[in-house]
Amino acid sequence: MFRAAFPDLRIIFQDQFGEDDKVCSHTVTQGTHSGTFMGIPPTGKKVVMPGITIARIVDGKIKESWIKTTS
C-alpha cells in the first residue's frame, strides 16, 4: 500500500540505541505522493515524516512495536 502510493519511499535512520529487550530508532520517512493512498488521489507532493519507533525484541524477533510520528 505504501510503496504503491509512494514509490520512492525511503526510511532514514538518524539514531538507534537499545537497552535490555528494547530498541529505539529515530527515523525520517520521506517520499513523493505519486499513487492513490487510502482513497486519496496522488498530489505529487513530497511527504517528510519524522518519528520514533520503540521495538521489543524476543528471540531475535520483533514482538511488539510502538510508533510515534511528529509531522
Side-chain angles (χ1 to χ4, degrees):
M1 173 175 72
F2 286 102
R3 288 277 179 207
F6 304 91
D8 61 344
L9 184 73
R10 291 182 56 206
I11 300 172
I12 302 160
F13 286 80
Q14 301 289 325
D15 198 10
Q16 189 172 59
F17 57 90
E19 184 174 323
D20 299 326
D21 63 345
K22 293 187 180 70
V23 175
C24 180
S25 303
H26 171 217
T27 60
V28 176
T29 303
Q30 59 187 28
T32 307
H33 186 197
S34 303
T36 301
F37 181 67
M38 298 177 69
I40 302 168
T43 63
K45 294 182 179 180
K46 184 175 180 178
V47 175
V48 178
M49 187 171 53
I52 298 285
T53 301
I54 299 172
R56 187 172 70 87
I57 311 296
V58 177
D59 296 328
K61 297 181 180 179
I62 297 173
K63 290 296 181 180
E64 296 178 272
S65 66
W66 304 271
I67 300 170
K68 173 67 177 161
T69 59
T70 58
S71 49

